[in-house]
Amino acid sequence: MLKTKEILDEKDKRLRQISKEVVFPLAKEDKDLIKKMITYLTDSQIEERAEKYDLRPGMGMAAVQLGVLKRYFVVVHEVEEGTFDTYVLINPKIVSNSEEKIYVDMGEGCLSVNREVEGIVPRYARVTVEAFDENGQKIRVRGREELAIAFQHELDHLDGILFTDHIDKNDPYAGENLYRAI
């Protein structure tokens, strides 16, 4: 089982590297890591399990956060209490996005950033992502609002970008009136 302490902290230089494209067929260690990521993210959103296993709650994780510089991430989105949609996106690319931008009212968080961060992170309200699934099949996924933010956040990880990079250092709430809070 994946432990919170195995997730790289923002100070780790590997998080700033650009991840490499994945070659298919997927290696066994990547398949195993994806399973561990799904389990961690699911358990971390179920309060009793999160407490029992000392997990920080999260809905997305990129391979680079575990020190694997490959272009894939997992998002486990709770659609209703105890019901989750799981997305495994390999070599993902945003192929379209809305003009409208939004931000998380309570502030964006990250399993690699172990501190409170004030400020807004403007994100597209809707995105369409093309990627491959674990079997190398091309897939197309649309995300709205919270899910769109998660996709953009994890894609940033693959390019060595943390959400904190999007926050204006001099005015953390700059442009707040230009975007919709969710």
Side-chain angles (χ1 to χ4, degrees), residues 118-121 167-174:
E118 294 278 315
I120 63 166
V121 180
I167 298 171
D168 184 318
K169 303 292 177 254
N170 300 319
D171 182 3
Y173 294 93

Side-chain angles (χ1 to χ4, degrees), residues 66-83:
L66 299 169
V68 177
L69 289 164
K70 293 186 179 178
R71 294 188 79 77
Y72 64 83
F73 65 77
V74 173
V75 171
V76 177
H77 183 227
E78 190 168 22
V79 286
E80 58 185 58
E81 183 85 24
T83 305

Side-chain angles (χ1 to χ4, degrees), residues 32-84:
D32 291 346
L33 190 60
I34 287 167
K35 282 190 184 93
K36 287 180 181 176
M37 292 162 77
I38 292 168
T39 301
Y40 180 98
L41 293 169
T42 305
D43 288 350
S44 79
Q45 294 180 71
I46 299 170
E47 203 171 326
E48 310 80 64
R49 289 189 199 163
E51 281 178 26
K52 180 179 177 181
Y53 301 117
D54 192 28
L55 307 175
R56 277 190 62 209
M59 71 179 281
M61 188 183 302
V64 64
Q65 291 178 274
L66 299 169
V68 177
L69 289 164
K70 293 186 179 178
R71 294 188 79 77
Y72 64 83
F73 65 77
V74 173
V75 171
V76 177
H77 183 227
E78 190 168 22
V79 286
E80 58 185 58
E81 183 85 24
T83 305
F84 301 91

Side-chain angles (χ1 to χ4, degrees), residues 106-117:
M106 301 297 291
E108 224 169 278
C110 178
L111 291 169
S112 291
V113 178
N114 299 300
R115 60 189 171 94
E116 287 294 316
V117 178

Side-chain angles (χ1 to χ4, degrees), residues 53-159:
Y53 301 117
D54 192 28
L55 307 175
R56 277 190 62 209
M59 71 179 281
M61 188 183 302
V64 64
Q65 291 178 274
L66 299 169
V68 177
L69 289 164
K70 293 186 179 178
R71 294 188 79 77
Y72 64 83
F73 65 77
V74 173
V75 171
V76 177
H77 183 227
E78 190 168 22
V79 286
E80 58 185 58
E81 183 85 24
T83 305
F84 301 91
D85 284 344
T86 300
Y87 302 88
V88 176
L89 300 178
I90 302 170
N91 298 338
K93 290 178 177 54
I94 292 176
V95 293
S96 70
N97 55 262
S98 62
E99 281 187 30
E100 181 189 19
K101 288 196 172 178
I102 59 177
Y103 66 94
V104 181
D105 200 21
M106 301 297 291
E108 224 169 278
C110 178
L111 291 169
S112 291
V113 178
N114 299 300
R115 60 189 171 94
E116 287 294 316
V117 178
E118 294 278 315
I120 63 166
V121 180
R123 302 280 192 188
Y124 296 114
R126 293 171 302 287
V127 294
T128 301
V129 179
E130 272 186 4
F132 294 91
D133 67 13
E134 293 166 272
N135 301 313
Q137 299 297 311
K138 195 168 215 171
I139 56 174
R140 195 178 181 105
V141 187
R142 288 180 54 112
R144 299 183 65 230
E145 305 215 337
E146 187 179 40
L147 189 56
I149 288 171
F151 288 163
Q152 292 166 82
H153 178 109
E154 299 310 327
L155 256 161
D156 274 354
H157 274 303
L158 303 183
D159 292 325

